[in-house]
Amino acid sequence: NYAGDLRLRSASMVVRTVLSVFPTCRLFREEAKQANHSLTDFTNLVMFCRKAVGSFSFRRPGKQDFLGSQARQHHLLPRHKVNPRSLVERHGKDVISKQNMGMLEKAQLESALGHWKVMRSVLPDAVWEKW
């Protein structure tokens, strides 16, 4: 799971690193990509991976899988596919390593600031300022 702005270098580095270990991955975002997101693309990204080469699929969940939860019913079967190439072919070729941790930290700071912009649009400033 990765939560962040998919337009930023940190997302590319994380996905590229995962793909360097797992040759087969399927990526899904929590919600469909919004066409009007010109400045940010903040989402929760889920990566399902396996060490073996080759495709894999998910079984369709049944009522017993939802355990009476509407959230599980909404999210249990991933729907919004993300093409891994769309992330790994941007922002260079770096994977996360001890040598470039500073680069990731800088990119994560940018993502965190973007996340706060999103959060401040969800609740009024006064709520966050009193928190």
Side-chain angles (χ1 to χ4, degrees), residues 51-123:
K51 290 286 273 182
V53 175
S55 64
F56 61 93
S57 60
F58 304 103
R59 70 173 175 82
R60 186 150 300 283
K63 188 176 179 179
Q64 71 280 4
D65 296 311
F66 303 136
L67 303 174
S69 166
Q70 288 181 349
R72 284 179 188 241
Q73 191 169 354
H74 180 75
H75 294 291
L76 196 55
L77 187 62
R79 287 176 276 188
H80 308 288
K81 293 179 185 178
V82 175
N83 182 349
R85 275 201 151 99
S86 69
L87 296 171
V88 300
E89 291 179 351
R90 289 188 278 169
H91 306 295
K93 304 280 184 207
D94 298 311
V95 295
I96 300 169
S97 68
K98 288 180 182 179
Q99 291 75 29
N100 67 6
M101 203 50 121
M103 190 183 330
L104 178 64
E105 289 170 355
K106 181 180 175 189
Q108 286 293 86
L109 177 61
E110 187 178 353
S111 183
L113 292 172
H115 181 233
W116 270 109
K117 286 180 185 177
V118 170
M119 296 305 291
R120 288 183 83 94
S121 71
V122 174
L123 294 172

Side-chain angles (χ1 to χ4, degrees), residues 4-71:
D5 187 342
L6 297 186
R7 298 178 136 227
L8 298 179
R9 183 182 199 137
S10 56
S12 295
M13 288 178 72
V14 168
V15 171
R16 199 175 298 113
T17 301
V18 169
L19 292 174
S20 74
V21 177
F22 297 98
T24 305
C25 293
R26 295 184 64 192
L27 282 58
F28 298 88
R29 54 186 302 132
E30 186 172 3
E31 301 294 335
K33 185 175 181 177
Q34 301 296 314
N36 62 352
H37 278 275
S38 59
L39 299 177
T40 64
D41 186 16
F42 193 90
T43 191
N44 289 314
L45 180 72
V46 179
M47 298 177 266
F48 297 95
C49 301
R50 56 186 264 181
K51 290 286 273 182
V53 175
S55 64
F56 61 93
S57 60
F58 304 103
R59 70 173 175 82
R60 186 150 300 283
K63 188 176 179 179
Q64 71 280 4
D65 296 311
F66 303 136
L67 303 174
S69 166
Q70 288 181 349

